[in-house]
Amino acid sequence: MTTTNNTTQCSHCLLKFNKNTAIVEKEGDKELHFCCPGCQSVYHIIKDGGFDSFYKKRRDYKPGPPELAFISDELFVDDIIEHENYSEIEFIATNIRCAACIWLIENYLSKLNGIKYVRANYATHKVKIQWDNSTIPLNEILNGIANLGYTPVPLSAMSSSDYFQKLKKSYFYKFSIGAFFTMQIMIYSVALYAGYFQGIDENLKEMFKLIAMILATPVVFYSGLPFAINSIKSLKTKTLNMDTLVFLGSYSAYFYSVFGVFTGGEIYFDTSSMIITLILLGRYIETEAKIKASKEITLLFNLQPKQAKLLKSFTKNDYIQGKLKPLIVKVASIRKGDILEVLPGENIPVDGKVIYGKSEVNESMFTGESVPVLKKQGCTVISGTNNLNGTLVIEATKSSKESSLNKIAEAIKSAQESKFYFQKLADKITIYFVPTIIAIAFATFLYWFNHSNSFVTSFMNAVSVLVIACPCAMGLATPLAILVATSTAFKKGILIKEGFILENASKVKAVFFDKTGTITEGVPKIVGIKSYDNNFNTLKIAASLERFSKHILAISIVSQYTEGFEEVTDIKEIPGQGMVGNTNNNIQIAAGNMLLFNRLGIDIDTIVKNDLESLASQGYTNIMVAYNKKIIGVISLFDNVRESFGEIYNFLTKKHIEINVLTGDTKETAEKVLKDYTDINIFSSLSPIEKVEVIKNNLHKFPIMVGDGINDAPSLKQAFIGIGMGKGTEIALESSDAVFVNSNLLLLKDFLNLSKKTRGIIIENLFWAFSYNFVTIPLAISGKIHPVFSAVLMSISSLIVVFNSLRIKTLSR
């Protein structure tokens, strides 16, 4: 233990900390310092268990307190393997910091009654245990390890998501085996070919054939096994696929060769092995490309932790005094109202509200804002964001399924599963493609057998037809391009909910923008307050109502008011108009625009009308405030146009796309705000329903609607493509086809460019896929292509589609 004037070192975890906060204990003449009760507890478990040598053995130990929590064995149910006399489980142990930790875990567990076997791996941090369930329950074992400071995590939760990685590994092993044996086969095949021309001893020839058969067998029955299994499955479902063609081509060449070995005929083991090996190489490269294409989406899915720390019977005092110990549970089991602990460095498990603690949180994945946001009591937190430097206790406001991160992930999955028109067409063709190819291969065999009278020539030409046909390229052409496009879009901050909108965007001839918060910066400032009755505080009355609204103008008014609120009841928000409610004396108060006051039958006299016209001509948005149906004042706000709007305006104008603005403000206000942009159609003084009518009347222009608020939701739904700005997350997610996550208007340019590029690449992919088959199948029928070259060409055709699709990632603004 190292102690200086101000700091000391924890006797267990070696962390240096302020010695004034140390838990001090005497052990003989020695003084022990602990940074937290957890370290003190673990120290005594180790000492009492007789494992003191742990502290002498540890080297390069990374300082840090243990993570202490109760572990629910329900988390591990999927990982338990039951044997006749014992149970077995393998899991990850977190916080392993040096080889001494492995020693401690193994020795601690092996001393427990009922443990039959324990092995911990320092490289992988995996712990494998066999135990007698009748002697010691799993719960006791897991919490024993947790009490040492190593939190067990189920393997299923750590590895189940990475399907492509497993697939890639499987292809690699199968290709490696196939390539190794195929190279050996080629040695004997070359010898046999040489012997064909130059003569070879018959006994030697038969031996070479037998060796080639032995070498080809693992290639066909191990490396080629997936093709056989998938073919059998496709027969059961009556939907033949590309694997059926590979299976028929390679396995028929193998079995024909086996027949040749025992009857003195020709052999083609090199052909059957080469076909399987080359196609596996193509699949391996293709899978690697898919992993790269879905990298951003994979990162998104990994943001949400699989486990959460649940605090049962939470009270603030008990928590501060360290009386509560969290229970680690599956995130999927979290319900609204549950209290959760989030430690520094951990991701927020579900959407919630902070009820204790203070910390900075990195929300850049959702907002694009790189500066961490300070979260304290009362602040909301979003699932998947990262808690940086303080412990937070949050109350879940949504279940895991309803959380923002899960909704975004589901939206992206939905987009990637949706199909373009071309994809639907390609799918229909693919259904008939494979049976047609099999029929053509059979017809090729009959034709050549009748004309050449050679079984070998007929057979090899038929195999070429089977192998060279590539429905794979047709099948990949669209879904891979959509996968890359949606991943690229999300990386830029565009959440695409439906893949087909990438196709629809090419038809767009008009864009309709909401004004406030969309074209403007969304941070309006109060520039003036006109009061018509000095008995009332206009700003106080307005703020008392507006604090119940999430509209940008409401937020601005409330944020610029610093005194106490009026008590208000019967509050009602009328979208696109304003707020109305009653004071505790049951007197009506209102804050909103002309539409609201007309609706409420509040008289607007000439003085107020003249003031409104004058203020509107200066570009101000004006909120009238009324008390007991009498106007007591007008609050004027001004919001600057976003700098990025100029670039979007030039981009759309250059593309000859019509630009429109929908606003509830007066025409004078909108014209003043947009005075620098001449080629814009302004639709003013609109209610949300009237905005919908404008969109309806322009549907022949395939309009995009870009909006951000609750009053834009009906227009977003009605438009050909609805795009929500991210700040209005809930409404945007529910009502729109795409969301600009960080509210950057320039993303509209990216969206339109991405749509154009994606559509172009899909057309190129399909053109290539159909052209390839149109050219190569007749060549195979005519006997111009050997089956081995057929396999090479078929793999290349798929890879061309793959790499062409990856070009979408290179999109620049």
Side-chain angles (χ1 to χ4, degrees):
M1 182 181 64
T2 304
T3 302
T4 66
N5 289 339
N6 299 317
T7 62
T8 186
Q9 194 172 37
C10 180
S11 299
H12 171 67
C13 76
L14 304 182
L15 186 74
K16 290 182 179 175
F17 63 105
N18 186 339
K19 70 177 183 182
N20 292 331
T21 63
I23 301 170
V24 183
E25 208 179 285
K26 283 276 186 186
E27 190 178 79
D29 297 334
K30 199 166 103 183
E31 194 173 73
L32 302 174
H33 290 177
F34 297 103
C35 65
C36 63
C39 281
Q40 186 185 25
S41 171
V42 173
Y43 178 84
H44 285 293
I45 290 172
I46 292 173
K47 292 283 285 184
D48 296 346
F51 305 114
D52 304 49
S53 54
F54 164 73
Y55 294 111
K56 295 176 184 172
K57 288 177 181 288
R58 60 182 180 181
R59 298 283 185 277
D60 302 323
Y61 186 85
K62 295 175 186 171
E67 184 182 63
L68 295 179
F70 287 118
I71 308 295
S72 169
D73 57 359
E74 292 177 2
L75 291 167
F76 298 81
V77 171
D78 296 337
D79 296 306
I80 298 173
I81 301 170
E82 295 292 353
H83 296 278
E84 189 174 347
N85 299 317
Y86 63 93
S87 302
E88 182 179 299
I89 190 170
E90 192 171 23
F91 54 82
I92 303 282
T94 64
N95 296 326
I96 289 178
R97 290 164 178 158
C98 70
C101 298
I102 299 297
W103 175 87
L104 181 61
I105 291 172
E106 289 185 346
N107 281 276
Y108 174 81
L109 289 178
S110 60
K111 286 192 175 182
L112 296 178
N113 284 334
I115 297 292
K116 293 176 174 290
Y117 171 88
V118 56
R119 176 68 62 197
N121 186 314
Y122 181 51
T124 61
H125 293 197
K126 288 181 182 176
V127 180
K128 188 173 184 178
I129 298 172
Q130 293 172 353
W131 80 102
D132 182 353
N133 213 10
S134 62
T135 306
I136 182 170
L138 178 61
N139 204 38
E140 191 174 322
I141 299 170
L142 296 173
N143 281 295
I145 299 173
N147 285 336
L148 291 173
Y150 309 104
T151 305
V153 177
L155 264 182
S156 55
M158 297 286 285
S159 58
S160 61
S161 62
D162 210 342
Y163 168 75
F164 281 139
Q165 287 288 358
K166 286 183 180 175
L167 193 62
K168 179 184 149 190
K169 193 180 286 184
S170 171
Y171 281 139
F172 176 76
Y173 289 138
K174 286 184 167 54
F175 164 73
S176 299
I177 296 292
F180 175 77
F181 284 107
T182 300
M183 283 191 287
Q184 314 309 313
I185 293 168
M186 291 309 294
I187 294 171
Y188 294 97
S189 296
V190 169
L192 287 169
Y193 289 140
Y196 176 79
F197 293 108
Q198 298 174 9
I200 185 171
D201 180 79
E202 276 303 314
N203 289 332
L204 194 61
K205 181 179 177 183
E206 293 306 315
M207 187 181 75
F208 281 178
K209 285 182 179 179
L210 195 60
I211 292 173
M213 183 184 76
I214 293 169
L215 292 171
T217 299
V219 180
V220 172
F221 291 101
Y222 172 71
S223 298
L225 187 60
F227 300 111
I229 293 172
N230 290 337
S231 298
I232 293 167
K233 285 180 180 175
S234 71
L235 283 173
K236 287 180 180 177
T237 57
K238 299 178 182 175
T239 52
L240 301 179
N241 54 32
M242 180 196 158
D243 285 352
T244 311
L245 300 180
V246 176
F247 168 70
L248 288 174
S250 58
Y251 275 63
S252 59
Y254 173 81
F255 284 112
Y256 175 77
S257 301
V258 171
F259 180 75
V261 169
F262 295 104
T263 59
E266 297 298 324
I267 62 167
Y268 297 94
F269 291 118
D270 54 342
T271 301
S272 61
S273 300
M274 192 72 87
I275 289 171
I276 290 171
T277 303
L278 288 172
I279 292 175
L280 283 172
L281 175 61
R283 295 271 176 98
Y284 174 79
I285 297 172
E286 183 183 312
T287 307
E288 175 66 26
K290 286 179 179 175
I291 291 169
K292 286 182 180 174
S294 58
K295 185 180 172 186
E296 286 76 23
I297 305 303
T298 304
L299 287 174
L300 174 68
F301 281 99
N302 289 339
L303 281 177
Q304 187 170 43
K306 303 292 184 291
Q307 303 173 10
K309 295 185 177 68
L310 178 68
L311 294 169
K312 289 188 172 179
S313 306
F314 174 82
T315 67
K316 193 172 172 181
N317 286 336
D318 285 350
Y319 182 75
I320 293 171
Q321 293 171 16
K323 294 180 180 176
L324 295 180
K325 205 170 181 182
L327 175 67
I328 295 184
V329 297
K330 283 185 177 180
V331 166
S333 67
I334 298 297
R335 297 289 176 267
K336 184 179 177 182
D338 283 347
I339 307 298
L340 308 168
E341 180 188 57
V342 187
L343 297 178
E346 293 182 344
N347 283 5
I348 309 286
V350 294
D351 292 358
K353 184 174 71 176
V354 178
I355 59 173
Y356 176 73
K358 186 191 290 185
S359 178
E360 290 180 313
V361 174
N362 181 357
E363 295 185 334
S364 58
M365 192 69 176
F366 289 91
T367 64
E369 179 56 63
S370 58
V371 179
V373 181
L374 178 66
K375 299 289 181 181
K376 53 187 179 180
Q377 191 170 338
C379 293
T380 57
V381 287
I382 308 170
S383 59
T385 54
N386 186 246
N387 179 24
L388 294 176
N389 48 20
T391 298
L392 293 175
V393 177
I394 65 169
E395 179 182 347
T397 52
K398 291 177 182 174
S399 66
S400 164
K401 197 174 179 181
E402 296 169 336
S403 68
S404 300
L405 181 64
N406 196 55
K407 282 187 176 180
I408 289 172
E410 289 300 321
I412 292 175
K413 278 169 66 180
S414 172
Q416 293 178 346
E417 288 165 1
S418 61
K419 294 183 178 180
F420 272 39
Y421 165 78
F422 296 123
Q423 176 65 33
K424 293 173 184 171
L425 182 65
D427 286 351
K428 285 180 184 175
I429 293 173
T430 305
I431 291 171
Y432 302 103
F433 185 82
V434 174
T436 303
I437 292 299
I438 293 172
I440 291 174
F442 185 65
T444 300
F445 175 83
L446 292 178
Y447 172 82
W448 281 100
F449 191 71
N450 283 332
H451 285 74
S452 67
N453 207 24
S454 166
F455 181 85
V456 171
T457 302
S458 312
F459 176 74
M460 296 309 288
N461 287 342
V463 169
S464 285
V465 172
L466 287 172
V467 176
I468 206 165
C470 185
C472 192
M474 284 189 279
L476 279 173
T478 300
L480 189 60
I482 291 181
L483 175 70
V484 178
T486 49
S487 297
T488 304
F490 186 73
K491 188 179 179 183
K492 287 178 175 293
I494 306 169
L495 172 60
I496 293 175
K497 292 174 66 180
E498 297 292 347
F500 63 80
I501 67 168
L502 291 168
E503 182 180 29
N504 289 348
S506 63
K507 301 175 184 174
V508 169
K509 295 178 181 173
V511 176
F512 289 78
F513 292 98
D514 166 55
K515 184 179 80 64
T516 305
T518 302
I519 287 181
T520 60
E521 290 176 344
V523 282
K525 290 185 171 56
I526 295 175
V527 291
I529 300 175
K530 275 194 176 292
S531 180
Y532 302 108
D533 190 334
N534 291 330
N535 293 319
F536 298 99
N537 183 334
T538 302
L539 186 58
K540 181 179 181 179
I541 298 293
S544 299
L545 277 170
E546 301 288 12
R547 66 190 169 118
F548 298 102
S549 171
K550 291 185 178 178
H551 194 278
I552 289 169
L553 295 176
I555 292 169
S556 291
I557 289 173
V558 175
S559 66
Q560 290 170 65
Y561 176 72
T562 56
E563 297 174 12
F565 293 109
E566 187 84 25
E567 191 174 331
V568 186
T569 59
D570 301 327
I571 301 139
K572 188 176 180 184
E573 180 171 8
I574 301 168
Q577 299 184 16
M579 303 287 294
V580 62
N582 292 325
T583 65
N584 53 6
N585 296 325
N586 205 28
I587 294 173
Q588 186 191 68
I589 55 175
N593 58 19
M594 191 80 75
L595 295 171
L596 178 69
F597 280 55
N598 290 336
R599 180 192 188 105
L600 297 176
I602 298 174
D603 182 50
I604 304 172
D605 61 32
T606 307
I607 296 174
V608 176
K609 281 181 181 174
N610 290 338
D611 284 344
L612 289 174
E613 284 178 13
S614 171
L615 293 167
S617 68
Q618 298 173 59
Y620 300 150
T621 298
N622 301 299
I623 302 296
M624 290 185 286
V625 183
Y627 185 93
N628 198 17
K629 291 195 174 274
K630 181 187 173 189
I631 296 177
I632 59 170
V634 174
I635 301 173
S636 298
L637 301 102
F638 187 80
D639 195 7
N640 291 313
V641 174
R642 293 175 190 266
E643 284 186 19
S644 56
F645 182 70
E647 189 173 335
I648 286 297
Y649 173 84
N650 292 332
F651 172 77
L652 295 175
T653 306
K654 196 174 176 181
K655 295 280 182 186
H656 304 292
I657 296 176
E658 185 181 292
I659 307 172
N660 305 274
V661 172
L662 306 180
T663 177
D665 284 342
T666 63
K667 194 173 184 66
E668 291 78 14
T669 299
E671 285 178 343
K672 188 71 178 178
V673 171
L674 298 168
K675 61 180 172 23
D676 296 332
Y677 307 98
T678 53
D679 201 10
I680 292 181
N681 301 317
I682 296 175
F683 297 84
S684 58
S685 302
L686 298 178
S687 68
I689 301 303
E690 288 169 331
K691 286 184 179 179
V692 173
E693 288 302 315
V694 174
I695 297 289
K696 269 186 184 176
N697 294 335
N698 287 277
L699 280 178
H700 60 285
K701 298 176 184 172
F702 304 104
I704 285 180
M705 171 69 195
V706 186
D708 72 327
I710 188 171
N711 56 337
D712 298 321
S715 310
L716 292 169
K717 277 281 185 191
Q718 181 63 53
F720 187 59
I721 297 174
I723 297 177
M725 301 287 274
K727 295 296 182 186
T729 306
E730 286 294 325
I731 294 299
L733 274 175
E734 295 299 328
S735 308
S736 53
D737 300 306
V739 177
F740 294 165
V741 177
N742 54 19
S743 297
N744 184 352
L745 208 53
L746 286 179
L747 291 177
L748 180 61
K749 188 177 173 182
D750 291 335
F751 172 74
L752 291 172
N753 285 336
L754 181 69
S755 303
K756 183 181 177 184
K757 187 162 187 174
T758 303
R759 190 172 188 274
I761 282 180
I762 287 173
I763 291 172
E764 288 170 13
N765 286 348
L766 290 169
F767 178 78
W768 163 255
F770 282 105
S771 300
Y772 162 83
N773 285 297
F774 184 76
V775 172
T776 55
I777 291 173
L779 289 174
I781 292 171
S782 60
K784 304 290 185 188
I785 303 177
H786 188 273
V788 171
F789 291 108
S790 297
V792 173
L793 290 173
M794 197 283 288
S795 294
I796 289 175
S797 75
S798 296
L799 293 178
I800 286 176
V801 168
V802 168
F803 289 113
N804 193 42
S805 299
L806 287 177
R807 288 198 303 119
I808 295 172
K809 290 173 81 76
T810 62
L811 179 78
S812 61
R813 181 171 291 164

